Amino acid sequence: MRGRRFLDYYPKTIHAAISTAFSLLILAAIAVTSLISYNVSEDAVISNSEAYMGEIITQVNNNIQSYIDNMENISLIIFTNKDVKYYISSNPFISREEVRSYQKNISDLFQSLLYTRKDIASIMVFGYNGRVVSDRRLTQLNPNVPPQDQDWYKQAVKEGGRSVISPPHVQNVLQGEYSWVVSLSRELKSINGMTGQGVALVDLKLNVINDICRNVKLGQRGYVFIVDSSGNIVYHPQQQLIYSKLRTEQIGRVMASEQGSFVDKDSGRIYTIHDTSFGWKIVGVAYQDELISNPSAMRNSFLLWAAAGLAVTLIISFIISHRITRPIRRLQAVMRQVERGDFDVRAEVGQAGEVGQLGRAFNMMVGQTRRLLDERVQTEKIKRRTELRLLQSQINPHFLYNTLDSIIWMAEQRKNEEVVLMTSALAKLFRASIAKDDELVPIRVEVEHIDSYLQIQKMRYRDKLDYAIDVPRELHAFKTPRILLQPFVENAIYHGIKNLPEGGMIAISARQADNGIEFRVSDNGQGMSEETIKLIMGAVRRDSDRDHIGVSNVNERIELAFGSDYGVSIESEPGEGTTVAIKIPQVR
Amino acid sequence: MRTKRLWLPLLLLGFVVLVVWTGLGRGEASPQDNRIAIIMKTTDANSHYWQTVRSGALAAAKELEVALELSGPLRSIDSDEQARLLEKAIEQRPRAIVLAPIDEDALAPQLEEISRLGIRLIIMDTPLLHHRADSYVSSDHVEEGREAAGILAPGRKTRPVYAFLTSDEKSPVAMQRRNGVLEALPAGSAYNLGMINVGKSEEQAYRTVKSLTVAYPGMNGIIALTDIGVAGAAKALKETGLSGSVKLIGFDSSVPEIQLLEQGAMHALIVQNPFNMGFLGVQAALDSSGGSATVDIPSATITRANMYAPENQKLLFPFVY
């Protein structure tokens, strides 16, 4: 349960761990750098665009300024023109003919000025003495619109000699003409330069300003508008909507701002303001989202490059982690072989790094284990042999005492033959147990040994015990470990038959089984349960219990000497008897 | 074992592909969806009114980023040509059609086709009487009539005695204006001398008004539903010296009417706002949220006193760009 949420998903192999760590690091690094560079380039694009807007607006200003300058120049020509001065002067000595010729001269001058400048709609002079002259041959004033009541006239008088620029308006002073113009008006002074004598009017066609503003491209939806010094709209592409209050413009904020830029957060528009020398403010409006020429293309190219970089680095990280972990995985494979019990393998020690050291240490460990294992096998063998020798050399004192008791008893009864028989059997038995330490003996010798033993036992138990040995002669030449059968026969007598009142029978046989020899020791005694068999066959050895040492010892001896294909197996049925099968290989 | 080690890089790769795919998928709007056809009564460059509608529509198209296809017959009475243009527009299957109908009856088959195809239809200027439209963008002509009535009888001090002059009795716009006047001046509070059709003749209007001044010396108002009536009536009133006492009220502006206003020979002009009509017409075409069915564009009442106010200059002297 501990750490279930996270640790379960934590990569389990080093390879996976390295790959994961690399991938996450690279992902984070690429994400961060992409984001930063995207923002940086976005900022760069925006500031570039702002600079570009500023340039465009300056251009618009320069264009408009040049038209205004031109009007100014024309008004100065009028201001300084002697003919005009005479024409509007209150000098009563100028005759009517002279006035007419002045009028003609002035009109010619105005016409020639107008001829060179297509942007000028009209040039007029209104004298305070009631005389009017214009660029037209015949000046017909609109009788319903007295010039003195017009704003441009009143402003010019008020300013006393300085030029005044009007907002765009319909010029209605000429009969039947209604054209949209921007007017520059200026009060004309007398020759002494002090008293005002009239007002000069120069009208600029509004088309000119409209065309300049309309042709400015500030993105798809951007536009230019102009306000005058009191906040009235001079030009706006949607002036009508603003008048109808269907649309609002940031005029208040524009009026309050210095030259420069500000961003209207609500509508996402950038306002770039340029102050003109004549009081107007030219404002460029661009939509922020349009400034980045193609934001989605830019974002996509960033995404694509980031993805490509990520893909490449992921593959590389996978390969690198694969290379790093390869020696470890090799070592792992070797370890698995050792796990399965193959101690002969050795790890390749190719490099001097940690893994190389690990491999060397592992090889040393495997070698040591192997040596220890061999040593242990050797020790076990020696131990078994010692045990066996102990077993073989020790004749059970009870057995010896009982046998000698039997011999004494038979001698008292004068049963000489039996005494001789028993004594010689005992002698054979002793000879066999003190014979030189030759591991394997011919089966013939083993059969003689077990025969001697059984003879003694039979004499002791008389009618209670009978036995039969059936070992074919052709097997006599093969070899067998010494004292192989005695423990089983002993068990059969003491546990199987001894307590039976009617006695029992022990049959010993041998036959050739598949590439081996199988001895069988059967009795028709008490038999035993499965648990007892397990107890006997189990490796549980108690020093006090010689019998059990015998059975398991024999089994282990056979397995040690010949391998696990050979050994002892017991079949028993309580009340029916026990059969022990001992299998050994054919050894000559 | 092999697959277990591969899942993580594969998962990350899949994630990256997903991110890129969603990134690329965004922000791609088909321009085809934003095509709007606008069919005016006329594309005549001398018609300031319709040229201003055009300006408004173009301004909206720029602001709202739509592709606009502007068309209209050369003459504002050519309803057959308009039907043909409408047919052509329908074939293009635009997102919406903005139409200023000359004659509803001549367009009947096309209007039915539009409603059958489910194309959004916006009507400008002149209402449809027998067909359905998704939106109607126009001045409220009835309200214009009420305004005219208000000028005739300011403060209800004098009982208005007035006549209508018209040149087209079938025009739905003229009818709505007349109804507005009648609604504001019910029988009893005013005396209506009736509606006189003067045809397309200024002379006829002049004679009609002259005889009216003789027949009804108490007459104090003339509502001219067309500019032809205004010119004739003004001439007649000037000759009889009644310019000041008989209020002459007209609709929409022309240069002669402006001059009459300057002279004081005319009392008031009620003018529409064609720029806003064009702009709001396109806006309504895009407004698929099914907003208000009628977009009202307030008209302005222009008198001699306010005619040169900046906002009214724009209405009276359309600056076509």
Side-chain angles (χ1 to χ4, degrees), chain A residues 15 20 23 142 144 169-170 172 178 180 207 210 221-222 238-239 241 244 247 300 307 310 329, chain B residues 5 8 12 16 20 23-24 26 62-63 65 259 262-263 273 275-276 279 308 313-314 317 319 321:
Chain A
H15 182 37
T20 311
S23 304
N142 186 342
N144 304 304
H169 64 109
V170 172
N172 50 359
Y178 300 94
W180 280 94
N207 281 355
N210 269 348
R221 293 181 291 156
Q238 297 175 358
Q239 205 161 344
L241 294 174
S244 312
R247 200 180 196 299
N300 286 346
L310 198 61
R329 274 179 287 115
Chain B
R5 270 182 299 195
L8 190 87
L12 281 170
V16 166
V20 171
L24 289 173
R26 266 201 309 157
K62 186 186 177 192
E63 164 120 349
E65 292 180 294
Q259 285 174 322
E262 277 182 344
Q263 290 162 14
N273 194 331
F275 184 94
N276 286 7
F279 191 97
Y308 284 106
Q313 282 189 38
K314 277 273 176 187
F317 308 94
F319 189 87
Y321 42 81

